[in-house]
PDB file of all heavy atoms in Angstrom:
ATOM      1  N   PHE A 120      20.142  17.643  -9.742  1.00  0.00           N
ATOM      2  CA  PHE A 120      21.065  17.207 -10.794  1.00  0.00           C
ATOM      3  C   PHE A 120      20.331  16.800 -12.072  1.00  0.00           C
ATOM      4  O   PHE A 120      20.930  16.707 -13.146  1.00  0.00           O
ATOM      5  CB  PHE A 120      21.917  16.040 -10.283  1.00  0.00           C
ATOM      6  CG  PHE A 120      21.204  14.729 -10.198  1.00  0.00           C
ATOM      7  CD1 PHE A 120      21.339  13.781 -11.203  1.00  0.00           C
ATOM      8  CD2 PHE A 120      20.393  14.417  -9.111  1.00  0.00           C
ATOM      9  CE1 PHE A 120      20.694  12.554 -11.132  1.00  0.00           C
ATOM     10  CE2 PHE A 120      19.749  13.199  -9.020  1.00  0.00           C
ATOM     11  CZ  PHE A 120      19.890  12.263 -10.039  1.00  0.00           C
ATOM     12  N   LEU A 121      19.007  16.561 -11.977  1.00  0.00           N
ATOM     13  CA  LEU A 121      18.236  16.195 -13.166  1.00  0.00           C
ATOM     14  C   LEU A 121      18.043  17.361 -14.127  1.00  0.00           C
ATOM     15  O   LEU A 121      17.606  17.149 -15.260  1.00  0.00           O
ATOM     16  CB  LEU A 121      16.856  15.674 -12.746  1.00  0.00           C
ATOM     17  CG  LEU A 121      16.809  14.350 -11.989  1.00  0.00           C
ATOM     18  CD1 LEU A 121      15.386  14.045 -11.566  1.00  0.00           C
ATOM     19  CD2 LEU A 121      17.363  13.212 -12.833  1.00  0.00           C
ATOM     20  N   LEU A 122      18.343  18.566 -13.704  1.00  0.00           N
ATOM     21  CA  LEU A 122      18.033  19.740 -14.509  1.00  0.00           C
ATOM     22  C   LEU A 122      19.098  20.068 -15.552  1.00  0.00           C
ATOM     23  O   LEU A 122      18.919  21.003 -16.330  1.00  0.00           O
ATOM     24  CB  LEU A 122      17.812  20.954 -13.593  1.00  0.00           C
ATOM     25  CG  LEU A 122      16.658  20.802 -12.585  1.00  0.00           C
ATOM     26  CD1 LEU A 122      16.522  22.043 -11.730  1.00  0.00           C
ATOM     27  CD2 LEU A 122      15.354  20.500 -13.304  1.00  0.00           C
ATOM     28  N   THR A 123      20.213  19.338 -15.569  1.00  0.00           N
ATOM     29  CA  THR A 123      21.173  19.533 -16.661  1.00  0.00           C
ATOM     30  C   THR A 123      20.561  18.995 -17.951  1.00  0.00           C
ATOM     31  O   THR A 123      19.788  18.026 -17.921  1.00  0.00           O
ATOM     32  CB  THR A 123      22.493  18.807 -16.369  1.00  0.00           C
ATOM     33  OG1 THR A 123      22.225  17.402 -16.234  1.00  0.00           O
ATOM     34  CG2 THR A 123      23.126  19.326 -15.088  1.00  0.00           C
ATOM     35  N   PRO A 124      20.881  19.591 -19.117  1.00  0.00           N
ATOM     36  CA  PRO A 124      20.176  19.237 -20.364  1.00  0.00           C
ATOM     37  C   PRO A 124      20.200  17.746 -20.700  1.00  0.00           C
ATOM     38  O   PRO A 124      19.158  17.154 -20.997  1.00  0.00           O
ATOM     39  CB  PRO A 124      20.913  20.060 -21.428  1.00  0.00           C
ATOM     40  CG  PRO A 124      21.452  21.235 -20.680  1.00  0.00           C
ATOM     41  CD  PRO A 124      21.815  20.722 -19.317  1.00  0.00           C
ATOM     42  N   VAL A 125      21.380  17.111 -20.650  1.00  0.00           N
ATOM     43  CA  VAL A 125      21.475  15.698 -21.031  1.00  0.00           C
ATOM     44  C   VAL A 125      20.702  14.823 -20.053  1.00  0.00           C
ATOM     45  O   VAL A 125      19.940  13.935 -20.449  1.00  0.00           O
ATOM     46  CB  VAL A 125      22.949  15.257 -21.109  1.00  0.00           C
ATOM     47  CG1 VAL A 125      23.044  13.750 -21.350  1.00  0.00           C
ATOM     48  CG2 VAL A 125      23.673  16.019 -22.212  1.00  0.00           C
ATOM     49  N   THR A 126      20.884  15.076 -18.756  1.00  0.00           N
ATOM     50  CA  THR A 126      20.201  14.269 -17.745  1.00  0.00           C
ATOM     51  C   THR A 126      18.694  14.465 -17.814  1.00  0.00           C
ATOM     52  O   THR A 126      17.931  13.513 -17.655  1.00  0.00           O
ATOM     53  CB  THR A 126      20.717  14.631 -16.346  1.00  0.00           C
ATOM     54  OG1 THR A 126      22.136  14.556 -16.325  1.00  0.00           O
ATOM     55  CG2 THR A 126      20.162  13.678 -15.313  1.00  0.00           C
ATOM     56  N   ALA A 127      18.257  15.694 -18.060  1.00  0.00           N
ATOM     57  CA  ALA A 127      16.818  15.953 -18.176  1.00  0.00           C
ATOM     58  C   ALA A 127      16.222  15.194 -19.356  1.00  0.00           C
ATOM     59  O   ALA A 127      15.135  14.605 -19.249  1.00  0.00           O
ATOM     60  CB  ALA A 127      16.577  17.449 -18.322  1.00  0.00           C
ATOM     61  N   ALA A 128      16.923  15.183 -20.492  1.00  0.00           N
ATOM     62  CA  ALA A 128      16.433  14.460 -21.664  1.00  0.00           C
ATOM     63  C   ALA A 128      16.349  12.962 -21.380  1.00  0.00           C
ATOM     64  O   ALA A 128      15.379  12.296 -21.769  1.00  0.00           O
ATOM     65  CB  ALA A 128      17.345  14.720 -22.857  1.00  0.00           C
ATOM     66  N   CYS A 129      17.350  12.431 -20.692  1.00  0.00           N
ATOM     67  CA  CYS A 129      17.340  11.015 -20.339  1.00  0.00           C
ATOM     68  C   CYS A 129      16.201  10.694 -19.372  1.00  0.00           C
ATOM     69  O   CYS A 129      15.566   9.647 -19.468  1.00  0.00           O
ATOM     70  CB  CYS A 129      18.680  10.617 -19.721  1.00  0.00           C
ATOM     71  SG  CYS A 129      20.036  10.559 -20.901  1.00  0.00           S
ATOM     72  N   PHE A 130      15.943  11.613 -18.451  1.00  0.00           N
ATOM     73  CA  PHE A 130      14.869  11.402 -17.478  1.00  0.00           C
ATOM     74  C   PHE A 130      13.521  11.338 -18.187  1.00  0.00           C
ATOM     75  O   PHE A 130      12.696  10.463 -17.897  1.00  0.00           O
ATOM     76  CB  PHE A 130      14.886  12.534 -16.458  1.00  0.00           C
ATOM     77  CG  PHE A 130      13.837  12.410 -15.387  1.00  0.00           C
ATOM     78  CD1 PHE A 130      14.008  11.551 -14.315  1.00  0.00           C
ATOM     79  CD2 PHE A 130      12.670  13.164 -15.450  1.00  0.00           C
ATOM     80  CE1 PHE A 130      13.047  11.438 -13.327  1.00  0.00           C
ATOM     81  CE2 PHE A 130      11.699  13.057 -14.472  1.00  0.00           C
ATOM     82  CZ  PHE A 130      11.894  12.192 -13.406  1.00  0.00           C
ATOM     83  N   VAL A 131      13.287  12.257 -19.122  1.00  0.00           N
ATOM     84  CA  VAL A 131      12.021  12.259 -19.870  1.00  0.00           C
ATOM     85  C   VAL A 131      11.904  10.999 -20.720  1.00  0.00           C
ATOM     86  O   VAL A 131      10.847  10.343 -20.762  1.00  0.00           O
ATOM     87  CB  VAL A 131      11.927  13.523 -20.747  1.00  0.00           C
ATOM     88  CG1 VAL A 131      10.700  13.452 -21.663  1.00  0.00           C
ATOM     89  CG2 VAL A 131      11.853  14.772 -19.881  1.00  0.00           C
ATOM     90  N   SER A 181      25.703  10.495 -13.777  1.00  0.00           N
ATOM     91  CA  SER A 181      24.364   9.995 -14.123  1.00  0.00           C
ATOM     92  C   SER A 181      24.432   8.621 -14.772  1.00  0.00           C
ATOM     93  O   SER A 181      23.512   8.242 -15.513  1.00  0.00           O
ATOM     94  CB  SER A 181      23.664  10.990 -15.061  1.00  0.00           C
ATOM     95  OG  SER A 181      23.540  12.255 -14.462  1.00  0.00           O
ATOM     96  N   LEU A 184      21.300   6.323 -14.193  1.00  0.00           N
ATOM     97  CA  LEU A 184      20.125   6.723 -14.970  1.00  0.00           C
ATOM     98  C   LEU A 184      20.318   6.435 -16.457  1.00  0.00           C
ATOM     99  O   LEU A 184      19.411   5.939 -17.140  1.00  0.00           O
ATOM    100  CB  LEU A 184      19.843   8.205 -14.748  1.00  0.00           C
ATOM    101  CG  LEU A 184      18.611   8.795 -15.442  1.00  0.00           C
ATOM    102  CD1 LEU A 184      17.342   8.060 -15.024  1.00  0.00           C
ATOM    103  CD2 LEU A 184      18.488  10.281 -15.146  1.00  0.00           C
ATOM    104  N   LEU A 185      21.520   6.722 -16.981  1.00  0.00           N
ATOM    105  CA  LEU A 185      21.786   6.486 -18.398  1.00  0.00           C
ATOM    106  C   LEU A 185      21.695   5.004 -18.748  1.00  0.00           C
ATOM    107  O   LEU A 185      21.255   4.643 -19.841  1.00  0.00           O
ATOM    108  CB  LEU A 185      23.170   7.034 -18.766  1.00  0.00           C
ATOM    109  CG  LEU A 185      23.335   8.560 -18.729  1.00  0.00           C
ATOM    110  CD1 LEU A 185      24.786   8.945 -18.917  1.00  0.00           C
ATOM    111  CD2 LEU A 185      22.470   9.212 -19.805  1.00  0.00           C
TER     112      LEU A 185
END
Side-chain angles (χ1 to χ4, degrees):
F120 75 99
L121 293 176
L122 300 180
T123 60
V125 174
T126 308
C129 288
F130 181 79
V131 173
S181 301
L184 182 58
L185 292 172

